[in-house]
Amino acid sequence: MSSSEISAREAEVLALVGEHLSNAEIAARLVISVRTVESHVSSLLRKLQLPDRRALARHAAESARAEPAAPALPAPLTAFIGRARERRELAAAVREHRLVTVSGPGGVGKTRLALAVAEDVARDFADGVWFVDLVPVTEPGRVGAAVAAAAGVGEQPGRGIDDAVPAALADRRALLVLDNCEHVRDGVAPFLERLLAACPRLRVLVTSRARLLVPFERIFPVPPLSREGGEESEAVALFMDRAAAVGRPLGPAVSEGVVAVCERLGGMALAIELAAARWSTLGLDGLTAGLSDQLRILTGGPRADDRHRSVRAVLDWSHDLLEPHEQALLRRTSVFVAPFTAEAAAEVAGFAPLDPAAVVDGLGGLAEQSLLAVTPSETGTRYHALETIRQYGTERLAGAGELAGVRSRHLGWCLAGAAALTGAEGADWRARFDAVAEDMRAALAWAAEQPEHRADAHRLASAMAELAFARNLLGEAQQRFEQAAGLADASAAPEALRQAAAVAGCRSLDGDMFRLLRAAAEAARRAGDTAGAGRDLAFAATVAYRFSSSFAQTPPVDEVTAMLAEARKLAGGAPAAEAAVALAEAAVVADAFGAVQGDPDNPAQETVEAARRAVEAARRAGDPEAESAALDALSGAQSWAGDGFAAAAAARRRLELLSAGPRTPARTHELMDALAMAAGTAVGVGELPEARRWGGRLAGHPLLAEAGHHATSWLLIADAFSGRAEEVLATSVRFLDAWEHSGRLRSRSSGPAAASVAMIHGLRGDDEARADWLAIVGESGPEADHRLGYGAVFDAMVLLHRGDADAALERVAPPPDRVWKWVCWVWLHWYTALRAETAVLAGRPDARDRIAAARARVAGNPVASAQVDRAEALLDGDLPRLLGTAAAFDAAGCRYQAARTLVLAGGEHAAAGRAALARLGLAPAR
C-alpha cells in the first residue's frame, strides 16, 4: 500500500504515533477527539498492512529517518543576494565545528547568511534544523525555554527545562540556529556549554554582534557586502534587486550613481535595503543628496566604526524623511519585542500626535518603507521591526522623553491581555497566549525595576504565573510565583510562595517544594499570620517524609522533627493549621508514607489511626487538597496493615474529592499523585480494568507528556498482569525513551514498570529482551524492592509459565510477614497467591495450609482468589472447578491467566489455551 493513499490527517497521526504519543495526547495535539484518532490508527494499520501499533510506530520512525527532516527555518520574502564565498566557508565551518558564531555589527546581514547556510547544510542533519530568534527573550535565564519551544521539548518532572533540553537532544544529529544572541549572552554561553557537552552530534550556529567568549567557539566575522566589480558587485546587485521590487526599474544610466550610493553605505546590507526602498519616491538624485548630507553630519572621530555609522546614517536619514506622526509611531512601537497587531499598536502608541486611525495608516506606511515587516498569522496580520531598527527606535523613544510613558502604556496593555487570557478557554487559547507572552515577559522585566510600578509588576507576575501553569510551562510558573512573592506586600507573599511550592510538587522537585513551604512559613510569620506559618511548616515536614525518596539530600530527621514541634506551637487551634499538623504527625511520627528515614517498627494500626485523625481534621477544615494528602497517608497506612481493599478505597476517595473545582497547582499535584495511587492500589486488589482506566488517565495527563516513564508506569503493570503483550511492548517504547531522557532517574514506580515489561518478554520466550529489561530494573528502582517485592512476583510468574515450579517456589519462599515492607502494598495478594500455587505445583507437603492462609488474605480479590481456587483445584484434581477458574479470570480482565488455566487443564483444553496465548502474543506455557 503506497503512502500516497494516506490522507494528510492520517500522516499527522502517523508521525505522532512515531513519537510514541498516546491516543489522548495525539487528540490534544491535533485538537480532535480520541475516537477520531482511534479511527485514523485503525485505518493506517489497514492501509499499511501492519499488525499492531508497535509496528506502526516503527514504520513511522523508519520513514522519518529515510527522509531528511525539512529545516524549520523562517522563509524570507526576498531573495538572498551575493556572499557566495562566505556562504561556502560558513557551511564548511558548521560541518567541522560544534559551535560557530557569526559575528558583525547590526545590519551587516548575519541572520540572512545564517539562514541561507542552515538551508544549505540541512541534509547533513538527519534530525532537523531548529531556528530560535532570541530577540523577544529579555531574560538570560529563559534561553533554554526558547530553545525547548523551538525543538518541541517539554518539561519533565524532577528537572528544569535547561536540563530537559540536553537530555531530549542527547542523541540527535541536528543543527540549532540561535539568532540575535548579544543581549542575552550571559544566558546563551553557559546553556550552550551544557548542551554541547551532553549532545555530541549537535551543531550550533549563532548570530551575535559580540562573541560568546567560550573556549570552544569558532568565530566567523561577516564583512560588508563586496563593492568590488563596480556595477557587478554584490552590494549593487542587492540594491538593484530591492529597488526593482518597489516598482521602478533602474536603467543603465544610473548604475554609476548606485555604485556610489553603495560605496557611501559601506556595503551594509540593511542600509542598502532601506535606501533601495526609497528609490521609487526619491530617485537617484534624492538618495545621493540625502545620504551625502547625513554622512557629513554623522562623521565621527577616528575610533568610530564606519560600518556602524553607515547603518545609523541610513536610519537617521530614513527617520528624517518620515512625517512626524510616522516618526512617533516608529519609536513607540519599538517597545514590542514580538510581532504585534494594529490594535495593539493603536492602544500603546495611539496618543497625541497620533490617534488610533493614524496608527493603522502609519503601520502600512512604515511597512512600505521597509522599516516594519508584515507577517500573516493565525491571529491576524502582525508587524515587527528588525532588531537593529527596534533598538534605533528605542533610542529615539528615549531621546523624545517618551520611554517611561510608552513602556507604561505597554505594561497596561500586557496587564489587560493577561486579564483577558486568565480563565479563558477555546482552541485558540494557546496561540493567543504565545502571541503575547514575550511582550508580557519584557514588560514584567522592566516594571520589576521601577519602584513606582511595583504593584503592577506584582499583578503581572501573578497573572503570568497562572497563565504559564495553564500553558503547562511549569518551570516558568514556579519562577513567576516566586517573583510575585518578591514583589508582593507582606500579606500577599506567603500565598505566592505556597503556589510556587505546589508547582514545584507538580514538577516532582520535592526539594524545591520543601524549601518554598519553609519560605512561606517565614513570610507568614513576618506578616503576623502565626497560624499560617504553622500550617506551612507542618506541610513542609510532611513533604520531607511523603516524598522522601525523591530528595537529592534527605532532610535530617532532627530538623524535620523540630519543624513539626514549632508548627504545633504556631497552629493555635486554627482548623487548617491543626489539620496540617495532624497530617505531619501521621507522616513524621507514625511514618504513614513509609519514608526512607522512617521507623519500620511503627505499629501498623497506630499508623492507621494517626492517618484517620488527619483525614478528619482536614475534612473539618474544609481543605480538599489537605484531605487528599491525608487520604494518601491513610491509604499507605492501610497497606502497611495489610488491608489492600481499604487502601484502594481511600485512593478512590481522593479522586472523587479532586474531581471538581479549579485546576490549581495544589489540586493538580494531588490529582496526579491520586491517579497513580488509584491505579496502583487497584492492581493490588485485582481490579485490573479499573487499574487500566486510572493508569490510562495518568498516561494521558498533559503535564506528563515529557515524562512517559512516570506517566505509563501503572498502565504497563496493569496490562502486564492482564496479559496484554502487544500493548505492553508498544507502551514500553515510550517508557524507555522517556526514562533515558530523564537521565535514568530511580523511582519507586519505574522499577516495577520495567519489571513488568521484563515479565512480558519472559512470557514471550524472548530471554535476550528480558535480560535487557532486567538490567533496566536494576537501574530504575531500589534493589531491595525488586529482590524482595515486585521482582519476586514477576519472576515467579515467568518461572511458572516455563514449568519451573521449584525455582518459582524459591523466588517467593519468604513468608509475607518477613518481607512485609516490600510486598504489603500492591504486591501482597499476588505474592500470597503465587506462594500457594507454587507449593501445589512443586509438590510441597504444606500446600493445603498455604492455600487456606492465602484464601483468607486475598478474599475479595477476583484475580488472586481465582488463582488460589485454581491451586486447590489442581491439588484436588477437580477439572470442572479448574475450568471454572478460567471463566473467573476472564471475567476479571486477566486473559493471560485464563489461557494458562486451559493449558494446566491438559488434554483438548491445552490446545485451546496455547491458541489463546498465541493470540495474546505469548509463548506456549508448560
Side-chain angles (χ1 to χ4, degrees), residues 137-274:
V137 178
T138 54
E139 301 164 292
R142 290 200 55 76
V143 170
V147 174
V153 176
E155 296 187 40
Q156 295 180 346
R159 58 173 50 193
I161 197 69
D162 283 4
D163 296 320
V165 173
L169 306 186
D171 58 351
R172 302 288 186 92
R173 180 169 179 78
L175 174 65
L176 175 64
V177 183
L178 295 182
D179 194 31
N180 293 298
C181 292
E182 55 275 349
H183 64 300
V184 285
R185 279 194 305 164
D186 291 346
V188 171
F191 173 77
L192 288 184
E193 190 162 4
R194 293 194 302 272
L195 182 67
L196 290 171
C199 308
R201 304 171 70 200
L202 188 70
R203 294 286 188 273
V204 180
L205 178 60
V206 160
T207 75
S208 178
R209 297 187 185 188
R211 59 170 296 183
L212 301 180
L213 299 176
V214 290
F216 48 89
E217 177 183 27
R218 177 79 172 191
I219 304 299
F220 190 92
V222 179
L225 286 166
S226 171
R227 281 94 69 205
E228 294 181 6
E231 60 188 51
E232 299 298 322
S233 69
E234 293 179 340
V236 170
L238 178 64
F239 186 99
M240 303 288 266
D241 180 83
R242 301 303 192 256
V246 299
R248 181 175 170 183
L250 286 75
V254 301
S255 59
E256 286 188 16
V258 172
V259 171
V261 167
C262 291
E263 190 63 43
R264 288 178 180 276
L265 297 178
M268 295 298 285
L270 176 59
I272 291 170
E273 290 191 337
L274 290 172

Side-chain angles (χ1 to χ4, degrees), residues 430-452:
R430 293 176 65 164
R432 289 165 55 206
F433 171 80
D434 292 345
V436 298
E438 290 296 354
D439 273 291
M440 288 194 290
R441 291 171 184 131
L444 177 57
W446 175 78
E449 299 298 322
Q450 313 300 315
E452 66 274 21

Side-chain angles (χ1 to χ4, degrees), residues 84 160 221 306 433 451 482 507 578 635 655 740 742 772 858:
D306 288 338
F433 171 80
E482 292 192 57
R507 301 174 69 199
E578 293 293 348
S635 180
L655 291 175
E740 289 178 337
S742 77
D772 289 342
V858 306

Side-chain angles (χ1 to χ4, degrees), residues 9 152 154 174 209 325 352 402 404 453 488 498 546 616 628 633 636 690 698 722 742 771 796 816 818 860 892 900 910:
R9 179 61 88 186
R209 297 187 185 188
H325 71 277
E402 295 181 340
H453 286 292
R498 291 168 192 141
R546 186 182 183 190
E616 288 303 318
S628 170
E690 284 289 286
L698 188 67
S722 301
S742 77
R818 281 181 49 198
R900 183 167 173 266

Side-chain angles (χ1 to χ4, degrees), residues 469 497-507 513 516-517 664-667 669:
F469 185 79
L497 289 167
R498 291 168 192 141
Q499 296 277 47
V503 178
C506 293
R507 301 174 69 199
M513 193 179 186
L516 288 163
L517 284 169
T664 63
R667 181 159 297 209
H669 177 225

Side-chain angles (χ1 to χ4, degrees), residues 260-332:
V261 167
C262 291
E263 190 63 43
R264 288 178 180 276
L265 297 178
M268 295 298 285
L270 176 59
I272 291 170
E273 290 191 337
L274 290 172
R278 288 288 189 175
W279 166 256
S280 63
T281 55
L282 296 180
L284 182 59
D285 293 346
L287 286 176
T288 303
L291 289 175
S292 296
D293 290 344
Q294 288 291 339
L295 288 176
R296 279 199 300 272
I297 293 169
L298 293 166
T299 298
R303 295 170 57 193
D305 188 326
D306 288 338
R307 293 174 298 175
H308 279 120
R309 287 207 309 274
S310 65
V311 174
R312 182 171 292 281
V314 173
L315 288 172
D316 280 334
W317 165 73
S318 295
H319 176 268
D320 290 346
L321 289 173
L322 298 174
E323 295 295 329
H325 71 277
E326 292 175 318
Q327 293 176 346
L329 183 60
L330 179 65
R331 64 178 181 261
R332 291 173 184 177

